[in-house]
Amino acid sequence: MFLTPISRISRGISCVRHSVIRNAVSRSFCSDSHDDFKPKRKNIPEGMEEVSDLIDRQVKENQVMLYMKGTPSQPQCGFSLQTVRILNAIGVDFSSVNVLEYPAIREGIKLYSDWPTIPQLYVNGEFIGGCDIVTTMFKEGELEKMFKDAKLIE
């Protein structure tokens, strides 16, 4: 099977066409498709106060919350990857937000924690730190102890 991407920008529409030579099948995926078929995103408030309220709710409603670049299955930076690997190695369940999809949250989380970098880990509503702090705590056994004390792991 041979896929050839071809970009068309005529008529102001950006489309990618994939041609499959073996079966002589052609498919087009256009950005002008009907709204019912477009990916759905949650509405994120634009004002910083509303963003801060949203972050506060997320942090308080999820026992372990990670703000990261990418997703746990596909981290988009090495620091996020390292933090996800540590959390998986410990065996704790966690929720996450991909800040690359939500620019308002990406900026808002830095203001919320007064911490300039991402990823950011929160446990039971408390800011723990970024990748460097999480890594140090993991190496020293403090992170696992904290999760055990919080009864988040056995």
Side-chain angles (χ1 to χ4, degrees):
M1 183 163 69
F2 179 72
L3 298 177
T4 309
I6 303 169
S7 291
R8 290 187 300 166
I9 308 209
S10 61
R11 299 177 295 148
I13 300 171
S14 138
C15 298
V16 177
R17 170 179 245 142
H18 296 276
S19 300
V20 180
I21 304 295
R22 185 181 74 179
N23 295 327
V25 174
S26 176
R27 292 196 166 109
S28 294
F29 302 98
C30 297
S31 62
D32 66 336
S33 66
H34 191 274
D35 285 343
D36 290 345
F37 301 106
K38 290 183 180 177
K40 302 285 187 222
R41 284 191 176 178
K42 292 183 180 177
N43 289 330
I44 301 298
E46 292 299 319
M48 276 301 141
E49 187 175 322
E50 292 88 5
V51 170
S52 181
D53 290 344
L54 174 65
I55 292 169
D56 192 55
R57 239 184 358 265
Q58 291 172 336
V59 165
K60 290 177 179 170
E61 290 175 1
N62 297 284
Q63 290 182 306
V64 182
M65 187 72 197
L66 179 63
Y67 291 88
M68 62 181 292
K69 293 179 181 176
T71 63
S73 60
Q74 278 194 314
Q76 296 295 307
C77 85
F79 299 113
S80 293
L81 174 64
Q82 172 74 5
T83 305
V84 167
R85 283 182 174 169
I86 289 170
L87 295 174
N88 286 336
I90 290 174
V92 69
D93 290 331
F94 64 99
S95 299
S96 67
V97 172
N98 178 1
V99 299
L100 298 177
E101 289 186 2
Y102 305 104
I105 291 178
R106 184 177 186 173
E107 291 309 311
I109 194 65
K110 295 174 186 178
L111 296 171
Y112 181 83
S113 64
D114 197 25
W115 191 261
T117 60
I118 294 168
Q120 293 186 13
L121 180 66
Y122 293 80
V123 177
N124 289 328
E126 181 183 342
F127 176 60
I128 302 304
C131 180
D132 52 347
I133 293 171
V134 170
T135 300
T136 300
M137 289 178 72
F138 175 68
K139 287 179 179 176
E140 295 175 0
E142 295 174 25
L143 195 62
E144 189 170 359
K145 181 183 181 323
M146 180 183 64
F147 287 132
K148 284 181 180 177
D149 291 347
K151 299 187 183 345
L152 297 172
I153 60 171
E154 294 180 9

PDB file of all heavy atoms in Angstrom, residues 105-124:
ATOM      1  N   ILE A 105      -5.459  27.226  29.257  1.00  0.00           N
ATOM      2  CA  ILE A 105      -5.038  26.426  30.418  1.00  0.00           C
ATOM      3  C   ILE A 105      -3.518  26.404  30.506  1.00  0.00           C
ATOM      4  O   ILE A 105      -2.956  26.464  31.603  1.00  0.00           O
ATOM      5  CB  ILE A 105      -5.623  24.993  30.348  1.00  0.00           C
ATOM      6  CG1 ILE A 105      -7.131  25.048  30.546  1.00  0.00           C
ATOM      7  CG2 ILE A 105      -4.971  24.098  31.391  1.00  0.00           C
ATOM      8  CD1 ILE A 105      -7.824  23.715  30.452  1.00  0.00           C
ATOM      9  N   ARG A 106      -2.855  26.363  29.372  1.00  0.00           N
ATOM     10  CA  ARG A 106      -1.377  26.353  29.366  1.00  0.00           C
ATOM     11  C   ARG A 106      -0.824  27.585  30.086  1.00  0.00           C
ATOM     12  O   ARG A 106       0.133  27.494  30.852  1.00  0.00           O
ATOM     13  CB  ARG A 106      -0.866  26.312  27.922  1.00  0.00           C
ATOM     14  CG  ARG A 106       0.629  26.212  27.818  1.00  0.00           C
ATOM     15  CD  ARG A 106       1.059  26.109  26.368  1.00  0.00           C
ATOM     16  NE  ARG A 106       2.476  25.871  26.262  1.00  0.00           N
ATOM     17  CZ  ARG A 106       3.093  25.602  25.131  1.00  0.00           C
ATOM     18  NH1 ARG A 106       2.413  25.518  24.010  1.00  0.00           N
ATOM     19  NH2 ARG A 106       4.383  25.396  25.112  1.00  0.00           N
ATOM     20  N   GLU A 107      -1.404  28.727  29.845  1.00  0.00           N
ATOM     21  CA  GLU A 107      -0.959  29.945  30.529  1.00  0.00           C
ATOM     22  C   GLU A 107      -1.545  30.034  31.935  1.00  0.00           C
ATOM     23  O   GLU A 107      -0.869  30.447  32.870  1.00  0.00           O
ATOM     24  CB  GLU A 107      -1.328  31.181  29.703  1.00  0.00           C
ATOM     25  CG  GLU A 107      -0.541  31.291  28.412  1.00  0.00           C
ATOM     26  CD  GLU A 107       0.960  31.161  28.597  1.00  0.00           C
ATOM     27  OE1 GLU A 107       1.524  31.848  29.481  1.00  0.00           O
ATOM     28  OE2 GLU A 107       1.579  30.356  27.875  1.00  0.00           O
ATOM     29  N   GLY A 108      -2.798  29.628  32.070  1.00  0.00           N
ATOM     30  CA  GLY A 108      -3.467  29.722  33.361  1.00  0.00           C
ATOM     31  C   GLY A 108      -2.848  28.863  34.446  1.00  0.00           C
ATOM     32  O   GLY A 108      -2.788  29.269  35.612  1.00  0.00           O
ATOM     33  N   ILE A 109      -2.358  27.675  34.076  1.00  0.00           N
ATOM     34  CA  ILE A 109      -1.779  26.780  35.081  1.00  0.00           C
ATOM     35  C   ILE A 109      -0.491  27.368  35.652  1.00  0.00           C
ATOM     36  O   ILE A 109      -0.171  27.175  36.824  1.00  0.00           O
ATOM     37  CB  ILE A 109      -1.559  25.347  34.515  1.00  0.00           C
ATOM     38  CG1 ILE A 109      -1.294  24.348  35.629  1.00  0.00           C
ATOM     39  CG2 ILE A 109      -0.445  25.303  33.492  1.00  0.00           C
ATOM     40  CD1 ILE A 109      -2.447  24.150  36.568  1.00  0.00           C
ATOM     41  N   LYS A 110       0.236  28.104  34.846  1.00  0.00           N
ATOM     42  CA  LYS A 110       1.468  28.748  35.320  1.00  0.00           C
ATOM     43  C   LYS A 110       1.149  29.832  36.344  1.00  0.00           C
ATOM     44  O   LYS A 110       1.875  30.004  37.328  1.00  0.00           O
ATOM     45  CB  LYS A 110       2.251  29.333  34.144  1.00  0.00           C
ATOM     46  CG  LYS A 110       2.759  28.277  33.177  1.00  0.00           C
ATOM     47  CD  LYS A 110       3.390  28.928  31.959  1.00  0.00           C
ATOM     48  CE  LYS A 110       3.762  27.903  30.909  1.00  0.00           C
ATOM     49  NZ  LYS A 110       4.338  28.543  29.715  1.00  0.00           N
ATOM     50  N   LEU A 111       0.066  30.558  36.128  1.00  0.00           N
ATOM     51  CA  LEU A 111      -0.361  31.579  37.079  1.00  0.00           C
ATOM     52  C   LEU A 111      -0.948  30.938  38.334  1.00  0.00           C
ATOM     53  O   LEU A 111      -0.703  31.403  39.448  1.00  0.00           O
ATOM     54  CB  LEU A 111      -1.382  32.511  36.428  1.00  0.00           C
ATOM     55  CG  LEU A 111      -0.888  33.337  35.248  1.00  0.00           C
ATOM     56  CD1 LEU A 111      -2.053  34.050  34.575  1.00  0.00           C
ATOM     57  CD2 LEU A 111       0.170  34.323  35.692  1.00  0.00           C
ATOM     58  N   TYR A 112      -1.708  29.876  38.151  1.00  0.00           N
ATOM     59  CA  TYR A 112      -2.372  29.187  39.256  1.00  0.00           C
ATOM     60  C   TYR A 112      -1.351  28.673  40.268  1.00  0.00           C
ATOM     61  O   TYR A 112      -1.529  28.805  41.466  1.00  0.00           O
ATOM     62  CB  TYR A 112      -3.222  28.041  38.696  1.00  0.00           C
ATOM     63  CG  TYR A 112      -3.989  27.267  39.732  1.00  0.00           C
ATOM     64  CD1 TYR A 112      -5.216  27.732  40.195  1.00  0.00           C
ATOM     65  CD2 TYR A 112      -3.513  26.054  40.222  1.00  0.00           C
ATOM     66  CE1 TYR A 112      -5.938  27.014  41.131  1.00  0.00           C
ATOM     67  CE2 TYR A 112      -4.227  25.332  41.161  1.00  0.00           C
ATOM     68  CZ  TYR A 112      -5.440  25.814  41.614  1.00  0.00           C
ATOM     69  OH  TYR A 112      -6.152  25.100  42.550  1.00  0.00           O
ATOM     70  N   SER A 113      -0.267  28.093  39.768  1.00  0.00           N
ATOM     71  CA  SER A 113       0.733  27.484  40.650  1.00  0.00           C
ATOM     72  C   SER A 113       1.897  28.415  40.959  1.00  0.00           C
ATOM     73  O   SER A 113       2.682  28.121  41.846  1.00  0.00           O
ATOM     74  CB  SER A 113       1.295  26.227  39.989  1.00  0.00           C
ATOM     75  OG  SER A 113       1.978  26.587  38.788  1.00  0.00           O
ATOM     76  N   ASP A 114       2.012  29.484  40.196  1.00  0.00           N
ATOM     77  CA  ASP A 114       3.180  30.358  40.278  1.00  0.00           C
ATOM     78  C   ASP A 114       4.453  29.562  39.981  1.00  0.00           C
ATOM     79  O   ASP A 114       5.490  29.714  40.616  1.00  0.00           O
ATOM     80  CB  ASP A 114       3.267  31.052  41.649  1.00  0.00           C
ATOM     81  CG  ASP A 114       4.205  32.253  41.616  1.00  0.00           C
ATOM     82  OD1 ASP A 114       4.402  32.831  40.523  1.00  0.00           O
ATOM     83  OD2 ASP A 114       4.751  32.597  42.680  1.00  0.00           O
ATOM     84  N   TRP A 115       4.332  28.663  39.012  1.00  0.00           N
ATOM     85  CA  TRP A 115       5.432  27.800  38.577  1.00  0.00           C
ATOM     86  C   TRP A 115       5.531  27.929  37.068  1.00  0.00           C
ATOM     87  O   TRP A 115       4.535  27.735  36.363  1.00  0.00           O
ATOM     88  CB  TRP A 115       5.149  26.349  38.979  1.00  0.00           C
ATOM     89  CG  TRP A 115       6.303  25.424  38.821  1.00  0.00           C
ATOM     90  CD1 TRP A 115       6.523  24.562  37.780  1.00  0.00           C
ATOM     91  CD2 TRP A 115       7.389  25.245  39.719  1.00  0.00           C
ATOM     92  NE1 TRP A 115       7.667  23.852  37.981  1.00  0.00           N
ATOM     93  CE2 TRP A 115       8.238  24.260  39.180  1.00  0.00           C
ATOM     94  CE3 TRP A 115       7.743  25.833  40.939  1.00  0.00           C
ATOM     95  CZ2 TRP A 115       9.390  23.843  39.799  1.00  0.00           C
ATOM     96  CZ3 TRP A 115       8.894  25.401  41.556  1.00  0.00           C
ATOM     97  CH2 TRP A 115       9.706  24.426  40.990  1.00  0.00           C
ATOM     98  N   PRO A 116       6.709  28.243  36.523  1.00  0.00           N
ATOM     99  CA  PRO A 116       6.793  28.618  35.101  1.00  0.00           C
ATOM    100  C   PRO A 116       6.819  27.478  34.092  1.00  0.00           C
ATOM    101  O   PRO A 116       6.732  27.734  32.898  1.00  0.00           O
ATOM    102  CB  PRO A 116       8.112  29.391  35.044  1.00  0.00           C
ATOM    103  CG  PRO A 116       8.947  28.766  36.117  1.00  0.00           C
ATOM    104  CD  PRO A 116       7.982  28.401  37.212  1.00  0.00           C
ATOM    105  N   THR A 117       6.957  26.232  34.529  1.00  0.00           N
ATOM    106  CA  THR A 117       7.157  25.152  33.561  1.00  0.00           C
ATOM    107  C   THR A 117       6.043  24.110  33.618  1.00  0.00           C
ATOM    108  O   THR A 117       5.296  24.021  34.583  1.00  0.00           O
ATOM    109  CB  THR A 117       8.512  24.446  33.796  1.00  0.00           C
ATOM    110  OG1 THR A 117       8.522  23.893  35.115  1.00  0.00           O
ATOM    111  CG2 THR A 117       9.669  25.404  33.617  1.00  0.00           C
ATOM    112  N   ILE A 118       5.990  23.323  32.573  1.00  0.00           N
ATOM    113  CA  ILE A 118       5.060  22.206  32.442  1.00  0.00           C
ATOM    114  C   ILE A 118       5.906  20.987  32.125  1.00  0.00           C
ATOM    115  O   ILE A 118       6.850  21.113  31.336  1.00  0.00           O
ATOM    116  CB  ILE A 118       4.034  22.503  31.317  1.00  0.00           C
ATOM    117  CG1 ILE A 118       3.176  23.685  31.753  1.00  0.00           C
ATOM    118  CG2 ILE A 118       3.194  21.297  30.990  1.00  0.00           C
ATOM    119  CD1 ILE A 118       2.330  24.273  30.674  1.00  0.00           C
ATOM    120  N   PRO A 119       5.662  19.855  32.732  1.00  0.00           N
ATOM    121  CA  PRO A 119       4.465  19.402  33.425  1.00  0.00           C
ATOM    122  C   PRO A 119       4.372  19.920  34.864  1.00  0.00           C
ATOM    123  O   PRO A 119       5.358  20.358  35.443  1.00  0.00           O
ATOM    124  CB  PRO A 119       4.610  17.887  33.425  1.00  0.00           C
ATOM    125  CG  PRO A 119       6.076  17.647  33.418  1.00  0.00           C
ATOM    126  CD  PRO A 119       6.653  18.772  32.605  1.00  0.00           C
ATOM    127  N   GLN A 120       3.147  19.829  35.378  1.00  0.00           N
ATOM    128  CA  GLN A 120       2.875  20.165  36.770  1.00  0.00           C
ATOM    129  C   GLN A 120       1.998  19.074  37.371  1.00  0.00           C
ATOM    130  O   GLN A 120       0.975  18.712  36.794  1.00  0.00           O
ATOM    131  CB  GLN A 120       2.159  21.513  36.887  1.00  0.00           C
ATOM    132  CG  GLN A 120       3.020  22.674  36.476  1.00  0.00           C
ATOM    133  CD  GLN A 120       2.348  24.006  36.738  1.00  0.00           C
ATOM    134  OE1 GLN A 120       1.348  24.098  37.442  1.00  0.00           O
ATOM    135  NE2 GLN A 120       2.914  25.057  36.167  1.00  0.00           N
ATOM    136  N   LEU A 121       2.414  18.579  38.533  1.00  0.00           N
ATOM    137  CA  LEU A 121       1.701  17.497  39.208  1.00  0.00           C
ATOM    138  C   LEU A 121       1.023  18.019  40.470  1.00  0.00           C
ATOM    139  O   LEU A 121       1.647  18.725  41.268  1.00  0.00           O
ATOM    140  CB  LEU A 121       2.671  16.366  39.577  1.00  0.00           C
ATOM    141  CG  LEU A 121       2.059  15.161  40.293  1.00  0.00           C
ATOM    142  CD1 LEU A 121       1.084  14.417  39.371  1.00  0.00           C
ATOM    143  CD2 LEU A 121       3.151  14.222  40.783  1.00  0.00           C
ATOM    144  N   TYR A 122      -0.252  17.638  40.635  1.00  0.00           N
ATOM    145  CA  TYR A 122      -1.035  17.980  41.818  1.00  0.00           C
ATOM    146  C   TYR A 122      -1.542  16.691  42.444  1.00  0.00           C
ATOM    147  O   TYR A 122      -2.007  15.796  41.738  1.00  0.00           O
ATOM    148  CB  TYR A 122      -2.233  18.860  41.447  1.00  0.00           C
ATOM    149  CG  TYR A 122      -1.830  20.221  40.952  1.00  0.00           C
ATOM    150  CD1 TYR A 122      -1.395  20.407  39.639  1.00  0.00           C
ATOM    151  CD2 TYR A 122      -1.868  21.322  41.788  1.00  0.00           C
ATOM    152  CE1 TYR A 122      -1.008  21.655  39.176  1.00  0.00           C
ATOM    153  CE2 TYR A 122      -1.484  22.581  41.337  1.00  0.00           C
ATOM    154  CZ  TYR A 122      -1.052  22.733  40.038  1.00  0.00           C
ATOM    155  OH  TYR A 122      -0.660  23.972  39.592  1.00  0.00           O
ATOM    156  N   VAL A 123      -1.448  16.613  43.765  1.00  0.00           N
ATOM    157  CA  VAL A 123      -1.962  15.455  44.494  1.00  0.00           C
ATOM    158  C   VAL A 123      -2.872  15.959  45.603  1.00  0.00           C
ATOM    159  O   VAL A 123      -2.448  16.778  46.431  1.00  0.00           O
ATOM    160  CB  VAL A 123      -0.817  14.594  45.073  1.00  0.00           C
ATOM    161  CG1 VAL A 123      -1.376  13.436  45.891  1.00  0.00           C
ATOM    162  CG2 VAL A 123       0.084  14.076  43.964  1.00  0.00           C
ATOM    163  N   ASN A 124      -4.098  15.482  45.591  1.00  0.00           N
ATOM    164  CA  ASN A 124      -5.113  15.904  46.569  1.00  0.00           C
ATOM    165  C   ASN A 124      -5.186  17.425  46.686  1.00  0.00           C
ATOM    166  O   ASN A 124      -5.230  17.977  47.788  1.00  0.00           O
ATOM    167  CB  ASN A 124      -4.865  15.250  47.926  1.00  0.00           C
ATOM    168  CG  ASN A 124      -5.165  13.772  47.900  1.00  0.00           C
ATOM    169  OD1 ASN A 124      -6.040  13.321  47.168  1.00  0.00           O
ATOM    170  ND2 ASN A 124      -4.440  13.005  48.686  1.00  0.00           N
TER     171      ASN A 124
END
